[in-house]
Each structure stands twice: as structure tokens, then as C-alpha cells.
Amino acid sequence: MELALRSVAPIGAVLGEGPVWHDAALWFVDIKRQRIYRFDPAGGALREWEAPGEVGWVLPRSSGGMIAGLDSGLHSFDPVSGQFAHLFDPERHLPGNRLNDATTDAQGRIWFGSMDNAEQDATGRLYRADAQGGTDSGLAPVVITNGPAIAPDGGTLYHTDTLGRTVWRVVLNDDGTLEAPTVFCEIAPGEGHPDGSTIDSEGCVWVALFGGWGVRRYDPAGTLIETVAFPVANVTKIAFGGADLRTAYATTARKGLSEQDLHSQPLAGNLFAFDAGVAGLPVHPAQL
């Protein structure tokens, strides 16, 4: 599908990730440069903060400020002061891991994953965090967890095994427990790796493709219904924003690209936007 795709923030991120719409702005990170960004589409202003480590995501917090997932665990983050405060680390015993992608559910619980930063060992797990702390979800470990996303009715969680090229569908019970996963969709070799996932108001799942030059939209049954082509190879995740939540913002990455690749992809690592043709879902603030 050809859309009016726009590069709206020319930052050239090494590994752009974690877009989320909050406070009339698009928040996202550059993991490898240890930066948090806030893009104001109304005026085009871009603010940035330095994080005390590799930061995989930020999410709004119900009590104010934000929660950030770093290589050292969960931290509170105050954008006014720029200060971080460590909350807890579910993987102190795995110093080679870092946190990678996250979402919240209607109860304000954070679902977040970890990964082997060397991208070799199956040490990545999916966790649930709430006011009582962090809990292992019980899903099987993988090398790189990605794209936790939750259906509009709150009863289904989508969990991505990036190197396994598989997005899993998991029944999510009210108490936060998960049932056995089933395959939602698979990405064929040569078509990229599934990265971040996002759900729209129709319950369709948007899967960003790292090395796949675009984003795919699947219906709730797992059927591919739309593909948005990008002028850059590494698309990492989209988030819906704007007053009507119909603008899709996409983070991208320069990571892994050769000098020749970068010459042919001058927009790699930038933040992109396009009219999704469908509304997204509002973000539920984390209740920690």
C-alpha cells in the first residue's frame, strides 16, 4: 500500500524504538545512544534526555512522570527534572540482558520483555509488573522478546519471538495469568524479522519488520490484509497519535546497515508518520 509517508524527525537513530503517544506528543527512544525523545508534531519541537543506560521504552505513569525500561531494570523518569530513580530489576542474575519492548493493559499493568544484548542466547523473558512488583509471565524464553501488545477487549496478548520470526497469540486472563500460546503469524525467511507490534481500534495487529522494509497489518485471525512500504529497511515499531489517534508514527534504525546501505537509505533511523486510515487505542498509564 502506498501512503504519504513523511520523515518528521531526522535523528538518524542507531536503534529507534518504543514509540508511545502521551501528553499530545510522541515519545520514543534510541536504545544504543541511551536517549529518550519527545516529538511535538504541532510545532515540530524535539526534546531529548540522556538515560543512565540502554533504554528500551518509556510509558506514562498514573501518578505522574514516566516509567522507563533499561538494561538495569525499571526506573521512574521525571521529564521535568530529567532524573531517574531505580525501582527494581527482575534480571540481576543476567547482566548480559536488557529490557526491550513493553505495553500496558487496562489495569495499568506493564507487560515487558527482555533479551540477550548479544542476540545469541535464549535468555529473554516476558514479565508482568504491577504495584506488587514484577512477575515472570511463564512463557518460554527466547533470544529477543518483542512487541507485547494487547487486544481491545483485554483478553488476548500478542508476544513476539523476533529471531524465531513468530508472533504468538496468548489468552490473557483477568488475573494476569496466561494460557498456552498459539501461532498468530510467521514471517518467512528473507522478509525481515518481526519487531514491535501495535493494535488498532479494530483489533488488527500492526507488525514492524526489521530488515523487511515496512509494516504489516494482520486481522484478528492472523490474515495479512495490508502492507505499508518504507524507504528504509529497519522499521522497529509504530504508535498511533494525534488528536484522533489516526496518525501512525514509526521508529526506525540504522543498526546493522553498511556504509553502502546508509548511502542508499539516507532516512534510516528517522521518525516517520503516515495516515493509518484507522484509529489506534489510547495508552493506559502504568500503575506502579
Side-chain angles (χ1 to χ4, degrees):
M1 181 177 182
E2 296 295 331
L3 294 173
L5 200 65
R6 314 181 305 279
S7 171
V8 294
I11 63 169
V14 176
L15 187 52
E17 256 292 3
V20 61
W21 182 258
H22 168 62
D23 189 27
L26 196 282
W27 296 76
F28 63 105
V29 304
D30 184 342
I31 296 173
K32 295 303 179 181
R33 287 182 179 156
Q34 302 180 14
R35 292 292 189 273
I36 295 172
Y37 294 95
R38 181 186 186 274
F39 173 69
D40 179 1
L46 182 70
R47 291 189 62 191
E48 67 177 272
W49 296 261
E50 182 176 2
E54 294 190 355
V55 54
W57 47 267
V58 290
L59 290 167
R61 190 179 192 180
S62 60
S63 58
M66 308 190 86
I67 301 292
L70 280 77
D71 49 6
S72 55
L74 272 66
H75 295 244
S76 63
F77 165 55
D78 179 5
V80 176
S81 67
Q83 297 298 305
F84 292 78
H86 188 263
L87 298 174
F88 67 91
D89 183 359
E91 295 188 334
R92 294 191 195 92
H93 60 297
L94 294 171
N97 272 20
R98 67 169 173 83
L99 301 188
N100 194 40
D101 202 358
T103 192
T104 51
D105 62 22
Q107 287 74 42
R109 299 174 296 206
I110 302 177
W111 295 87
F112 64 97
S114 65
M115 62 172 281
D116 173 21
N117 215 2
E119 302 182 12
Q120 296 178 349
D121 298 326
T123 55
R125 293 184 176 274
L126 183 71
Y127 295 91
R128 183 187 76 242
D130 54 26
Q132 282 70 50
T135 304
D136 189 327
S137 70
L139 296 183
V142 297
V143 180
I144 302 174
T145 67
N146 236 314
I150 296 172
D153 65 3
T156 302
L157 179 141
Y158 298 91
H159 165 62
T160 299
D161 173 3
T162 292
L163 294 191
R165 293 191 172 92
T166 302
V167 179
W168 297 90
R169 179 196 289 114
V170 191
V171 172
L172 170 56
N173 298 314
D174 291 342
D175 63 359
T177 57
L178 301 175
E179 302 295 335
T182 58
V183 173
F184 175 70
C185 70
E186 296 177 293
I187 307 300
E191 296 181 355
H193 289 83
D195 206 310
S197 296
T198 306
I199 311 293
D200 63 32
S201 58
E202 296 178 358
C204 294
V205 183
W206 296 69
V207 180
L209 298 177
F210 196 97
W213 298 86
V215 176
R216 293 181 176 181
R217 184 182 185 228
Y218 294 84
D219 70 15
T223 301
L224 177 62
I225 56 176
E226 188 176 323
T227 299
V228 181
F230 275 66
V232 298
N234 300 332
V235 187
T236 55
K237 190 171 184 177
I238 74 164
F240 293 94
D244 55 4
L245 295 180
R246 296 179 69 90
T247 299
Y249 291 93
T251 47
T252 64
R254 297 164 66 91
K255 181 178 180 289
L257 299 180
S258 66
E259 288 299 320
Q260 182 177 354
D261 292 333
L262 292 172
H263 180 73
S264 63
Q265 301 175 45
L267 302 179
N270 289 359
L271 179 69
F272 289 82
F274 62 92
D275 181 354
V278 63
L281 298 168
V283 175
H284 298 288
Q287 297 194 32
L288 286 186

